[in-house]
């Protein structure tokens, strides 16, 4: 890292020319044209929407980086405690619209672009999503960055700069096909820092050394070196100049690595392939959600990123010349799930092996520094790494893990003598073949706080997967921080009309930074004019989505129909199969109705979207079924507008911004106890959509806030799930009559090749129905009938919609971040003048 500053007496000249961002329309236009003509080397004869997007993005990027610089200088000067959010995923979506709104210059840009012949909407739509995440976990990290900057916390995100984000999904003949998402052609939002590099070691061996006094030290030697290069992404807060940093690491062969011996020996190709191997580390985001696969490259990614980030954090701390004991007073590191757990081991290694601290002293610092957030109770998602793999790749780290485990188990034994079972249960090392390192246990032991992401979830981790640890540490180590969403992106940006209407009633946009102010709109629930405008906005948003559906699928949907939406990753526990079985049930029912009966029906558009992990066969089968049902239903002239089934291809953040504001009802129907929180449920309600859902995750707290009369709850409770599963296993069950008819129609080939869907049906009828689809089917159907009834009473429906939005104040990530800051990080916002 190069550190050189301009001598004091020359700084005046420098400061005279210090960059400033544009303020007015004319200055924006000037910046825009300059970037088009110089940075892009294009001209007014050669400037399409894409070029206009780059020009606009670069003009805003310059503004951001100026504030970024000031923010970083301020943070260094004031030297307060900082937060580091370690996440393997940041699902950012598009940056331009967000940047324009956060710095308050969207109108300036709109006018400027108009002067030059562009429509701002077209320009914004050119941007490729930054899709460095799978789903909820990655999007949560992105919302956190927005809130941390908005609230002026000195906070950095650390992640990987994947060359390929989550794959693009295409639907071919009803099947999902995955296309690589190469998104880095030209990314105006990142600043490569070729001067900020860290050498990361892999493989080799741990060498023991004993000095004359008998002091034993270990040294990690040999192996190979890969270089981490920093790329910085500025994160602007809303309504503040604070611009925080997201640092993403990219891998390349270390400068020493290029093997000149090989090169000289004429093995040029093999030297190049070594180089490429180094670059693979940050090449691709693993596309699994809630499934752990244990691939070596994934472990390499994890260590690469943890080691680079910690080196950076420690370097920054050392510049302050403080004593090591003060480290936890200056640094809080939050682990977004177990993926960065190696950071715990790495910090212990740095302190003991490199800085020469005593083990206990170092360990106290480590535990004081880290917090761990759990996002799942699904056993198949809990990370474990095989001991032989760990030993091969990170020999010294494995030793340290064994030592951490030894000291931990000794403590446990002191507290609970003679409980051998307990020791085996809580050991970081699972005594299987091969032995496995249980990352969640390591994360718990190495952190001072562990949190779940919604009340039910936090209770569940305490009573199930981490029960023993609650006994060992006491309940205070475990806490809940219910998730949220940023209202800037998920209301103001995605639904500008609704945001404007709310602002007109509340006398301004303060609710965007204090979402509890939304309760002020409850006064207008009975205001006829307000209701009318509210309903009109929903219709406009539905028309926008209808247009998107027409453009992308060719199907015409009626914007006055009830839009029923389920968009999220496709997973059996999220139960898109329950939804599509319900759709088939509806279809069969309509088919059997007289024209008179049909007249009373509420037309419905069932909208699905979401990706399946490429290797998750059952999830892909569900996508296939949805698409086949769509083909049949949508082309059945007998059905017309009464039912349409749409699968929106390649669901991502920017599509969510169109879909969420357009829903009348959305589905959050996971088997109770399986969805840790869910966050799209919050987005839909905040945009005036009602929800149908199970008593799971954050649905429960949403219900508490908006009251039971504003939500359609159904299905079994989490506390009964275990028993129901047992019953299935040992007693079998009788299939609900209506569900049996649905299966019959599939099996008779109504939706094409019946064989294709046999495994899906059999998972319910023959293999225990683990996700309790059959148990919840009846109450799901009945509740959907209630939805139909209520939708017909439009006036009441709108009233429900308004009072729900009014009561969503709790679900802002601003509240969430303040809770983390207070109860886990112990950090204060930085005062900005
Ligand atoms: C999600 N987890 C939870 N994991 O499923 C959801 O309930 C919660 O609202 C959200 O986190 C935020 O807390 C999730 O998205 C992943 O995608 C992981 C990706 C890496 C492999 C393991 C799953």
């Amino acid at each position: 890292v190069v550190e050189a500053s301009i001598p004091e007496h020359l700084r005046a000249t420098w400061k005279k020319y210090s960059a400033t961002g544009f303020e007015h329309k004319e200055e924006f236009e000037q910046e825009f044209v300059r970037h088009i003509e110089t940075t892009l080397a294009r001209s007014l004869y050669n400037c399409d929407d894409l070029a206009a997007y780059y020009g606009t993005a670069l003009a805003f990027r310059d503004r951001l980086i100026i504030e970024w610089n000031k923010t970083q200088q301020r943070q260094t000067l004031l030297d307060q405690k900082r937060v580091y959010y370690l996440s393997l995923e940041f699902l950012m979506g598009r940056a331009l619209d967000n940047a324009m709104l956060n710095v308050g210059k969207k109108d300036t840009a709109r006018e400027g672009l108009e002067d030059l012949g562009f429509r701002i909407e077209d320009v914004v739509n050119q941007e490729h999503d930054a899709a460095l995440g799978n789903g909820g976990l990655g999007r949560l990290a992105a919302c956190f960055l927005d809130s941390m900057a908005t609230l002026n916390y000195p906070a950095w995100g650390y992640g990987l700069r994947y060359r390929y984000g989550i794959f693009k999904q295409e639907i071919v003949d009803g099947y999902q096909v995955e296309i690589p998402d190469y998104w880095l052609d030209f990314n105006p939002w990142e600043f490569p820092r070729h001067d900020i590099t860290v050498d990361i070691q892999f493989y080799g061996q741990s060498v023991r050394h004993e000095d004359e006094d008998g002091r034993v030290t270990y040294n990690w030697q040999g192996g190979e070196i890969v270089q981490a290069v920093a790329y910085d992404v500025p994160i602007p807060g809303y309504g503040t100049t604070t611009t925080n940093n997201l640092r993403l690491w990219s891998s390349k062969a270390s400068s020493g690595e290029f093997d000149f011996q090989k090169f000289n020996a004429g093995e040029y190709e093999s030297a190049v392939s070594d180089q490429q191997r180094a670059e693979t580390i940050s090449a691709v985001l693993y596309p699994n959600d809630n499934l752990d696969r244990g691939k070596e490259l994934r472990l390499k990614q994890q260590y690469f990123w943890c080691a680079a980030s910690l080196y950076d954090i420690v370097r920054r701390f050392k510049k302050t010349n403080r004593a090591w004991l003060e480290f936890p007073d200056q640094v809080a590191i939050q682990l977004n799930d177990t993926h960065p757990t190696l950071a715990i081991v790495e910090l212990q290694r740095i302190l003991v092996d490199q800085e020469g601290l005593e083990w206990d002293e170092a360990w106290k610092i480590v535990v004081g520094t880290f917090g761990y957030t759990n996002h799942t109770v699904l056993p198949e998602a809990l990370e474990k790494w095989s001991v032989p793999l760990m030993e091969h790749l990170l020999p010294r780290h494995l030793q340290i893990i064994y030592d951490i485990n030894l000291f931990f188990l000794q403590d446990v034994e002191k507290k609970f003598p003679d409980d051998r079972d307990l020791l085996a249960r809580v050991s970081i090392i699972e005594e299987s073949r091969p032995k496995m390192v249980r990352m969640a246990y390591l994360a718990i032991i190495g952190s001072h706080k562990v949190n779940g992401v919604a009340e039910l979830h936090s209770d569940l981790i305490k009573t199930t997967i981490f029960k023993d640890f609650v006994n060992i540490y006491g309940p205070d180590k475990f806490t809940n921080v219910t998730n949220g969403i940023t209202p800037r992106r998920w209301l103001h940006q995605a639904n500008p009309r609704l945001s404007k209407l709310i602002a007109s009633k509340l006398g301004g946009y303060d609710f965007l930074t204090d979402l509890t102010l939304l309760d002020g709109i409850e006064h207008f629930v009975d205001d006829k004019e307000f209701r009318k405008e509210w309903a009109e906005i929903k219709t406009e948003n539905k028309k926008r989505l209808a247009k998107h559906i027409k453009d992308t699928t060719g199907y015409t949907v009626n914007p006055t129909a009830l839009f029923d939406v389920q968009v999220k990753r496709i997973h059996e526990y999220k139960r898109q199969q329950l939804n599509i079985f319900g759709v088939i049930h509806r279809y069969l029912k309509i088919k059997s109705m007289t024209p008179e009966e049909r007249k009373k029906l509420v037309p419905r558009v069932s909208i699905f979207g979401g990706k399946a992990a490429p290797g998750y066969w059952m999830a892909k089968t569900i996508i296939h079924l949805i698409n086949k049902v769509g083909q049949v239903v949508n082309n059945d002239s007998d059905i017309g507008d009464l039912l349409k089934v749409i699968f929106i291809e390649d669901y991502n953040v920017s599509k969510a911004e169109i879909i969420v504001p357009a829903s009348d009802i959305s589905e959050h129907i996971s088997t109770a106890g399986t969805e840790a929180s869910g966050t799209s449920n919050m987005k839909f309600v905040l945009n005036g959509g009602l929800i149908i859902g199970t008593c799971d995750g954050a649905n429960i707290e949403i219900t508490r806030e908006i009251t039971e009369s504003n939500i359609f709850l159904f299905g079994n409770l989490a506390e009964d799930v275990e028993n129901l599963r047992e019953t299935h296993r040992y007693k079998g069950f009788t299939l609900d009559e209506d569900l049996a008819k649905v299966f019959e129609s599939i099996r008779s080939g109504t939706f094409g090749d019946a064989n294709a869907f046999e495994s899906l049906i059999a998972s319910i009828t023959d293999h225990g129905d683990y996700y309790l689809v059959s148990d919840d089917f009846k109450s799901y159907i009945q509740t959907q009938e209630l939805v139909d009834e209520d939708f017909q009473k439009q006036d009441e429906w709108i009233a429900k919609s308004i009072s729900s939005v009014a009561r969503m104040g709790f679900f802002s990530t601003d509240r969430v971040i303040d809770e983390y800051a207070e109860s886990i990080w112990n950090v204060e916002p930085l005062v900005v003048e």
Side-chain angles (χ1 to χ4, degrees):
V1 176
V2 189
E3 305 215 20
S5 58
I6 304 297
E8 199 71 53
H9 67 285
L10 300 176
R11 288 184 190 174
T13 313
W14 183 288
K15 284 183 180 159
K16 202 164 102 195
Y17 299 116
S18 237
T20 53
F22 67 84
E23 276 301 320
H24 307 295
K25 186 182 76 169
E26 290 73 19
E27 291 163 325
F28 166 76
E29 291 170 3
Q30 190 181 352
E31 285 300 287
F32 175 91
V33 172
R34 182 175 67 81
H35 275 300
I36 302 272
E37 294 189 346
T38 62
T39 317
L40 303 178
R42 295 177 66 162
S43 72
L44 72 167
Y45 302 109
N46 176 20
C47 184
D48 53 9
D49 281 343
L50 181 63
Y53 157 68
Y54 283 130
T56 312
L58 290 164
F60 273 89
R61 176 189 79 160
D62 288 352
R63 251 192 88 99
L64 294 193
I65 207 66
I66 291 163
E67 294 304 336
W68 184 98
N69 264 318
K70 289 187 196 155
T71 305
Q72 299 315 316
Q73 280 164 25
R74 196 161 54 224
Q75 291 180 1
T76 307
L77 201 74
L78 294 180
D79 195 27
Q80 283 178 203
K81 184 171 182 178
R82 284 190 176 90
V83 186
Y84 297 102
Y85 197 75
L86 265 58
S87 179
L88 210 38
E89 305 193 358
F90 288 93
L91 192 45
M92 304 294 284
R94 290 175 176 161
L96 176 57
D97 205 7
N98 187 247
M100 294 193 299
L101 288 168
N102 277 17
V103 305
K105 288 274 173 241
K106 187 166 179 180
D107 289 335
T108 308
R110 179 184 288 111
E111 290 163 22
L113 284 167
E114 249 168 46
D115 283 352
L116 294 158
F118 296 96
R119 260 172 39 102
I120 195 165
E121 290 76 19
D122 300 334
V123 170
V124 162
N125 281 335
Q126 296 300 315
E127 184 171 355
H128 196 116
D129 275 35
L132 306 185
N134 275 286
L137 171 148
R139 183 54 231 177
L140 185 75
C143 285
F144 278 12
L145 292 179
D146 184 76
S147 281
M148 291 191 292
T150 299
L151 296 170
N152 303 306
Y153 283 102
W156 284 46
Y158 275 107
L160 277 184
R161 178 182 178 269
Y162 302 109
R163 231 173 319 128
Y164 297 90
I166 188 70
F167 61 84
K168 262 179 68 72
Q169 177 195 56
E170 284 183 13
I171 302 295
V172 180
D173 290 339
Y175 292 99
Q176 166 176 300
V177 175
E178 299 96 24
I179 317 284
D181 169 48
Y182 185 82
W183 71 291
L184 283 173
D185 261 348
F186 177 51
N187 174 8
W189 303 106
E190 64 176 13
F191 291 84
R193 303 280 189 193
H194 294 293
D195 55 329
I196 302 180
T197 63
V198 187
D199 280 347
I200 309 295
Q201 185 176 3
F202 292 104
Y203 309 107
Q205 54 279 183
S206 173
V207 179
R208 185 177 188 276
H209 177 80
E210 192 172 339
D211 68 15
E212 306 88 64
D213 308 330
R215 195 185 139 90
V216 175
T217 52
Y218 288 87
N219 197 348
W220 183 13
Q221 293 175 358
E224 66 178 48
I225 304 285
V226 177
Q227 198 174 60
V229 184
Y231 285 72
D232 288 345
V233 182
I235 308 292
Y238 174 86
T240 170
T241 56
T242 297
T243 305
N244 280 339
N245 194 24
L246 169 60
R247 178 158 285 177
L248 301 177
W249 299 104
S250 181
S251 63
K252 71 182 237 195
S254 111
S255 36
E257 161 91 346
F258 190 82
D259 195 331
F260 280 97
Q261 243 162 0
K262 271 189 190 169
F263 181 70
N264 289 333
E267 292 178 50
Y268 176 67
E269 278 177 29
S270 122
V272 170
S273 83
D274 286 352
Q275 190 114 355
Q276 281 174 336
R277 201 155 45 89
E279 286 169 16
T280 1
I281 292 181
S282 61
V284 48
L285 165 79
Y286 277 92
N288 294 319
D289 77 314
N290 288 299
L291 180 75
D292 170 48
R293 290 230 171 221
K295 292 260 174 69
E296 173 169 353
L297 183 61
R298 169 99 171 164
L299 186 59
K300 272 186 128 169
Q301 287 187 334
Q302 293 186 350
Y303 179 64
F304 172 81
W305 151 64
C306 288
S309 307
L310 265 185
Y311 182 90
D312 213 39
I313 294 167
V314 166
R315 179 182 55 79
R316 200 166 299 125
F317 173 78
K318 283 172 92 170
K319 279 207 293 196
T320 66
N321 290 319
R322 291 170 186 264
W324 279 112
L325 274 179
E326 290 178 51
F327 193 81
D329 304 328
Q330 289 302 106
V331 174
I333 304 180
Q334 191 65 26
L335 307 175
N336 196 21
D337 217 305
T338 53
H339 321 141
T341 303
L342 282 172
I344 289 174
V345 190
E346 176 70 359
L347 182 57
Q348 182 71 3
R349 187 183 73 87
I350 293 172
L351 295 176
V352 173
D353 291 2
Q354 294 179 347
E355 302 293 336
L357 271 70
E358 293 299 332
W359 179 277
D360 289 345
E361 198 184 357
W363 186 243
K364 203 170 152 212
I365 292 169
V366 169
V367 175
T369 301
F370 287 97
Y372 155 51
T373 305
N374 172 280
H375 295 267
T376 186
V377 292
L378 300 189
E380 66 270 30
L382 295 177
E383 264 194 304
K384 291 175 192 173
W385 290 105
S386 101
V387 166
L389 173 59
M390 189 83 85
E391 185 167 32
H392 180 56
L393 190 68
L394 302 167
R396 179 61 186 136
H397 292 78
L398 184 67
Q399 287 180 330
I400 293 173
I401 291 171
Y402 269 106
D403 284 346
I404 293 171
N405 198 35
L406 178 72
F407 298 133
F408 167 68
L409 292 179
Q410 283 172 350
D411 283 349
V412 175
E413 199 171 16
K414 258 186 238 146
K415 226 172 151 184
F416 304 90
D418 309 320
D419 194 343
R420 307 296 313 167
D421 280 355
L422 176 67
L423 294 186
R425 282 204 306 273
V426 298
S427 170
I428 297 174
I429 307 298
E430 178 184 275
E431 295 295 326
S432 45
R433 260 198 279 178
K435 290 186 183 165
M436 302 293 266
V437 183
R438 297 157 161 163
M439 300 308 269
Y441 292 6
L442 180 54
I444 294 172
I445 295 164
S447 301
H448 63 284
K449 282 275 179 190
V450 177
N451 75 285
V453 289
E455 274 178 22
L456 174 68
H457 169 65
S458 298
D459 286 344
L460 281 175
I461 60 178
K462 284 200 277 184
T463 50
T464 61
I465 51 176
F466 302 151
K467 190 172 167 212
D468 289 322
F469 291 91
V470 177
N471 277 333
I472 291 166
Y473 289 113
D476 290 353
K477 179 158 179 164
F478 295 83
T479 183
N480 171 249
V481 187
T482 299
N483 281 167
I485 56 176
T486 168
R488 271 75 66 184
R489 184 176 292 259
W490 296 112
L491 179 54
H492 195 44
Q493 185 183 321
N495 204 343
R497 287 188 186 130
L498 192 65
S499 184
K500 194 168 166 195
L501 175 63
I502 293 171
S504 76
K505 291 296 174 198
L506 298 183
Y509 285 98
D510 287 354
F511 64 95
L512 289 176
T513 42
D514 178 0
L515 203 61
T516 62
L517 294 176
L518 278 181
D519 64 8
I521 62 170
E522 191 114 42
H523 299 306
F524 302 93
V525 167
D526 296 320
D527 178 332
K528 281 225 166 73
E529 189 53 31
F530 182 64
R531 283 193 191 193
K532 193 168 145 255
E533 286 179 60
W534 191 273
E536 275 168 10
I537 289 168
K538 182 59 81 180
T539 307
E540 285 307 307
N541 290 332
K542 286 166 76 177
K543 284 184 184 160
R544 179 164 72 141
L545 177 58
K547 181 178 183 313
H548 176 82
I549 290 172
K550 179 80 191 169
D551 292 347
T552 53
T553 68
Y555 289 125
T556 306
V557 299
N558 181 351
T560 66
L562 189 161
F563 279 20
D564 169 343
V565 181
Q566 189 179 17
V567 286
K568 47 184 86 225
R569 287 298 288 254
I570 311 291
H571 204 293
E572 285 166 282
Y573 88 79
K574 295 178 188 281
R575 297 202 297 190
Q576 283 91 354
Q577 70 276 40
L578 176 59
N579 185 344
I580 192 65
F581 294 153
V583 169
I584 295 174
H585 167 75
R586 179 177 292 263
Y587 175 64
L588 299 176
K589 215 170 107 187
I590 299 175
K591 293 293 280 183
S592 71
M593 282 178 171
T594 65
E596 284 312 303
E597 287 170 324
R598 289 185 187 186
K599 275 196 194 124
K600 293 190 204 123
L601 288 178
V602 183
R604 209 185 256 245
V605 184
S606 277
I607 298 162
F608 294 83
K611 297 173 186 180
Y616 188 176
W617 183 251
M618 200 60 93
K620 289 182 143 178
T621 304
I622 295 170
I623 292 179
H624 186 200
L625 179 60
I626 296 168
N627 279 288
K628 286 293 165 187
V629 172
Q631 272 174 24
V632 171
V633 173
N634 301 346
N635 294 307
D636 187 336
S637 56
D638 193 28
I639 296 291
D641 269 357
L642 288 180
L643 183 60
K644 286 276 176 286
V645 182
I646 303 295
F647 190 93
I648 295 180
E649 226 173 36
D650 197 39
Y651 176 62
N652 60 14
V653 173
S654 55
K655 287 193 182 156
E657 289 167 20
I658 301 171
I659 296 167
V660 169
S663 110
D664 293 308
I665 192 129
S666 63
E667 309 217 7
H668 309 276
I669 58 177
S670 48
T671 312
T674 61
E675 188 71 276
S677 160
T679 44
S680 75
N681 41 7
M682 303 165 190
K683 294 167 196 165
F684 282 102
V685 180
L686 186 60
N687 282 276
L690 304 190
I691 65 185
I692 177 169
T694 43
C695 295
D696 200 18
N699 289 354
I700 296 172
E701 287 148 272
I702 293 176
T703 307
R704 187 188 305 153
E705 295 293 313
I706 69 176
T707 75
E708 230 170 298
S709 54
N710 291 325
I711 185 168
F712 298 92
L713 290 178
F714 74 96
N716 283 286
L717 301 180
E719 61 207 47
D720 299 322
V721 165
E722 209 182 285
N723 278 335
L724 286 165
R725 282 180 177 158
E726 288 287 295
T727 315
H728 285 189
R729 211 195 310 244
Y730 297 110
K731 300 205 183 120
F733 58 95
T734 42
L735 201 58
D736 175 87
E737 223 177 289
D738 286 325
L739 186 58
K741 283 189 191 144
V742 168
F743 290 168
E744 252 167 59
S745 81
I746 298 173
R747 282 186 166 137
S748 71
T750 312
F751 308 104
D753 181 11
N755 282 329
F757 310 115
E758 192 48 42
S759 61
L760 178 60
I761 296 176
S763 74
I764 294 162
T765 54
D766 302 353
H767 301 135
D769 191 11
Y770 189 74
Y771 297 101
L772 307 184
V773 172
S774 54
D775 304 79
D776 284 348
F777 190 72
K778 198 173 198 69
S779 86
Y780 175 66
I781 295 298
Q782 285 170 347
T783 309
Q784 284 286 21
E785 281 163 9
L786 238 138
V787 171
D788 287 323
E789 269 172 46
D790 283 9
F791 191 70
Q792 275 170 322
K793 306 173 223 155
Q794 262 299 300
D795 230 31
E796 280 173 41
W797 185 278
I798 297 298
K800 282 177 198 270
S801 163
I802 295 169
S803 31
S804 300
V805 173
R807 297 170 194 196
M808 284 299 285
F810 181 72
F811 299 99
S812 165
T813 32
D814 296 346
R815 185 269 309 161
V816 180
I817 289 301
D818 278 333
E819 279 185 25
Y820 276 94
E822 160 118 20
S823 68
I824 300 178
W825 302 333
N826 193 24
V827 294
E828 304 272 339
L830 201 131
V831 181
V832 184
E833 273 137 41

